[in-house]
Amino acid sequence: MPTPREKIARLTGDEYLLMHVFVDEVSRANVDAVLAFQEQGYEGVYVSLSKDYLSVSTALEQAGIELGRLRFVDAVSRMYGIAPVESPEVVYVDGPLSVDALIAAVASSLAGLVGEKRFVLLDSLTTLLLYNSPEATLAFNRTLKELLKKERAAGVIVVAYRDTRNKDLLRALEKDGGEIVSNDVAAA
């Protein structure tokens, strides 16, 4: 069975994976995904619903990721009153409740990338589900999928779990056309 990293290496523009990850492994999985994309020559947009821009960018930089090839959408800082870092690489939205603002920020961030090989990583669809109904979360996923297709960008959408897997959510996401890959067995 291919690892998430191998699956990412095979993605082409307008394809996306749903990466099912144990909650304690989400940060590592996100770093591995960005590394896998950058190894393939991609530039990307990192959509953070779980950590602020400064925390995410510091962790990525420590892992050897080229931050100059990334744009960020931060949906955490404003919600928790964290002072924004003034940078052209980051767009701040009010929080995970602002799904329309999230999509608009992803679209504008994608437009700011110059390369043909582009990706979007959403660090936790599960976090979005904490703040929105299952229907709104699935609608957001469909809209993001349509944006990826329109912009010919690859994507990874992380679905985290703690004790039990959200089988209903996974079934609904698969029904929407997402291929689910798990990091349970695989390591980068």
Side-chain angles (χ1 to χ4, degrees):
M1 173 169 249
T3 67
R5 182 177 277 263
E6 291 167 339
K7 289 278 198 172
I8 289 168
R10 295 181 196 152
L11 286 176
T12 60
D14 83 357
E15 292 181 324
Y16 76 105
L17 290 175
L18 296 156
M19 192 161 54
H20 195 239
V21 180
F22 182 66
V23 70
D24 291 344
E25 298 294 320
V26 168
S27 292
R28 184 186 63 82
N30 291 338
V31 167
D32 287 346
V34 174
L35 280 169
F37 276 119
Q38 285 196 348
E39 288 169 358
Q40 301 297 315
Y42 279 82
E43 298 177 46
V45 178
Y46 189 111
V47 182
S48 182
L49 300 173
S50 59
K51 293 184 180 179
D52 65 283
Y53 162 71
L54 190 56
S55 297
V56 171
S57 62
T58 300
L60 293 174
E61 190 171 42
Q62 288 173 348
I65 290 171
E66 297 176 46
L67 296 183
R69 293 171 53 198
L70 290 176
R71 300 292 179 266
F72 296 87
V73 176
D74 177 335
V76 176
S77 293
R78 285 187 179 166
M79 186 170 64
Y80 290 107
I82 299 170
V85 174
E86 294 301 321
S87 171
E89 287 84 30
V90 63
V91 175
Y92 294 93
V93 296
D94 289 336
L97 279 169
S98 307
V99 291
D100 292 336
L102 277 170
I103 290 294
V106 171
S108 69
S109 296
L110 268 173
L113 298 173
V114 294
E116 286 185 34
K117 294 177 85 173
R118 300 174 299 155
F119 75 91
V120 173
L121 180 133
L122 179 73
D123 77 350
S124 181
L125 188 67
T126 317
T127 301
L128 196 69
L129 184 60
L130 292 173
Y131 294 92
N132 296 279
S133 69
E135 296 79 18
T137 302
L138 291 171
F140 171 85
N141 185 67
R142 282 190 289 277
T143 303
L144 181 58
K145 182 178 84 172
E146 290 167 12
L147 176 64
L148 293 171
K149 188 173 201 112
K150 177 182 168 215
E151 295 294 328
R152 302 208 33 85
V156 168
I157 299 168
V158 175
V159 181
Y161 68 94
R162 181 169 299 285
D163 299 324
T164 59
R165 299 165 189 259
N166 188 331
K167 291 180 180 161
D168 292 337
L169 176 62
L170 292 174
R171 263 187 253 133
L173 291 168
E174 267 187 318
K175 185 178 175 186
D176 274 352
E179 179 184 356
I180 296 175
V181 62
S182 176
N183 78 335
D184 289 345
V185 179

